[in-house]
Amino acid sequence: MGRSRNTRRGPAVIEEPVDGGLAQLVPDPDRGRAWTLLIDGAPQSHVDLDDPAYLSFDYQRRIGHAIDLAAPPGRPVHAVHLGGGAFTLARYVAATRPRSTQQVVERDARLVELVRRELPLDPNARVRVRAADARAGLAKVPDGWADLVVADVFSGARTPAHLTSTEFLDEVRRALKPTGVYAANLADGPPLAHLRGQIATAAARFGGLALIADAAVLRGKRFGNAVLVASDAPLPLAELTRRAASDPHPGRVEHGRALTDFAGGAVPVTDEAAVASPAPPPSVFR
């Protein structure tokens, strides 16, 4: 069982060792039954049990826009989540698209146990959680099953190398329906070599791409998250741009020629050449 320590206000912080380090569930002082999950001090997820449609983190809100636009409003979808954290985005899909069928693949079995116990899923939600490596779990998804594949996988604050390659995206495309949408949380800082390589890799496998990020991240001014959205079907670029611009911290959407120019001649990443994403500087989490 985890151990708790008192805070100056509200419920206690819950601490428990998991496979990936020390997990902490920290109560949100501004929301009654909301918690932030940290692993070794790095924020991973925010969950509001009373309002699972609330997305606190900027990058999760941007993935939420992609989820909202992946199918007509409220229509149930088949979704695969690579990387579970506190199951924030699976809860979001269940709340905004009732009767959706979802699979969550999270390698850290002890983290899955902690989240299930302390932040239980709605028993009516059709969410299956599998403790497995993301790529191995994806390989078990039937061909053409998913309307949506979301990748948000970090190990020690870095995306593992085997989830950055064209071969990995071949598995994503195999699992997706022809009109399906892929959304990935990427993290990088100057000189943005990893981000540019991921754009080139996705462009080699999908017909349409969009990248959503803070302007300062895109200019290489600071380390941060960027959300890549890809599909072989036309992307709703105008609506995606409008939603990102109206966020509390507005995001910019790059696509088409501008995104190609941003990639700057980067080449697609293969399994043989893949490396993990860069580690964030310590100042990111201060």
Side-chain angles (χ1 to χ4, degrees), residues 180-182 207-211 229-240 255:
V181 173
Y182 172 62
L209 303 180
L211 187 73
V229 183
S231 181
D232 285 327
L235 291 171
L237 296 170
E239 183 62 13
L240 201 60
H255 58 88

Side-chain angles (χ1 to χ4, degrees), residues 171-190:
E171 275 296 296
V172 172
R173 290 188 77 247
R174 179 199 59 75
L176 281 171
K177 296 176 182 178
T179 57
V181 173
Y182 172 62
N185 177 29
L186 309 175
D188 200 7

Side-chain angles (χ1 to χ4, degrees), residues 148-209:
L148 179 71
V149 173
V150 175
D152 184 15
V153 185
F154 287 85
S155 176
R158 303 177 71 184
T159 301
H162 68 299
L163 305 181
T164 67
S165 66
T166 51
E167 290 90 342
F168 166 66
L169 290 186
D170 286 338
E171 275 296 296
V172 172
R173 290 188 77 247
R174 179 199 59 75
L176 281 171
K177 296 176 182 178
T179 57
V181 173
Y182 172 62
N185 177 29
L186 309 175
D188 200 7
L192 299 178
H194 173 73
L195 186 55
R196 299 181 204 279
Q198 288 305 286
I199 293 166
T201 303
R205 291 297 184 266
F206 287 97
L209 303 180

Side-chain angles (χ1 to χ4, degrees), residues 4-282:
S4 300
R5 59 184 175 84
N6 291 329
T7 55
R8 292 184 179 179
R9 53 181 173 175
V13 174
I14 299 167
E15 292 185 345
E16 184 164 321
V18 296
D19 298 336
L22 179 65
Q24 294 176 300
L25 291 174
V26 180
D28 183 336
D30 298 320
R31 302 179 75 89
R33 295 178 67 228
W35 301 78
T36 298
L37 168 68
L38 298 91
I39 304 291
D40 286 342
Q44 303 289 324
S45 304
H46 180 279
V47 168
D48 188 332
L49 297 178
D50 291 331
D51 184 9
Y54 173 76
L55 299 176
S56 175
F57 291 180
D58 289 340
Y59 87 84
Q60 290 184 328
R61 190 177 296 109
R62 289 163 184 166
I63 294 176
H65 298 328
I67 292 170
D68 291 344
L69 298 172
R75 196 195 83 183
V77 295
H78 288 173
V80 178
H81 301 267
L82 305 177
F87 314 149
T88 303
L89 291 167
R91 298 173 201 265
Y92 180 83
V93 171
T96 60
R97 297 180 177 278
R99 302 181 308 284
S100 291
T101 303
Q102 303 185 75
Q103 297 186 35
V104 176
V105 184
E106 169 56 60
R107 183 172 186 170
D108 194 327
R110 295 168 77 187
L111 176 61
V112 169
E113 181 182 347
L114 170 65
V115 172
R116 280 190 178 278
R117 185 181 71 239
E118 302 293 344
L119 307 175
L121 286 160
D122 181 343
N124 294 318
R126 302 176 182 178
V127 180
R128 177 185 179 188
V129 182
R130 175 184 290 129
D133 171 78
R135 190 155 158 181
L138 180 63
K140 296 182 179 180
V141 176
D143 293 0
W145 181 84
D147 298 286
L148 179 71
V149 173
V150 175
D152 184 15
V153 185
F154 287 85
S155 176
R158 303 177 71 184
T159 301
H162 68 299
L163 305 181
T164 67
S165 66
T166 51
E167 290 90 342
F168 166 66
L169 290 186
D170 286 338
E171 275 296 296
V172 172
R173 290 188 77 247
R174 179 199 59 75
L176 281 171
K177 296 176 182 178
T179 57
V181 173
Y182 172 62
N185 177 29
L186 309 175
D188 200 7
L192 299 178
H194 173 73
L195 186 55
R196 299 181 204 279
Q198 288 305 286
I199 293 166
T201 303
R205 291 297 184 266
F206 287 97
L209 303 180
L211 187 73
I212 316 170
D214 183 278
V217 173
L218 294 175
R219 289 197 300 266
K221 299 295 185 182
R222 67 173 179 84
F223 194 98
N225 296 89
V227 170
L228 178 68
V229 183
S231 181
D232 285 327
L235 291 171
L237 296 170
E239 183 62 13
L240 201 60
T241 299
R242 186 191 71 77
R243 292 184 181 219
S246 65
D247 280 341
H249 296 98
R252 199 168 85 194
V253 176
E254 296 287 7
H255 58 88
R257 173 57 61 183
L259 188 56
T260 301
D261 292 345
F262 176 82
V267 299
V269 176
T270 64
D271 273 347
E272 186 176 2
V275 296
S277 66

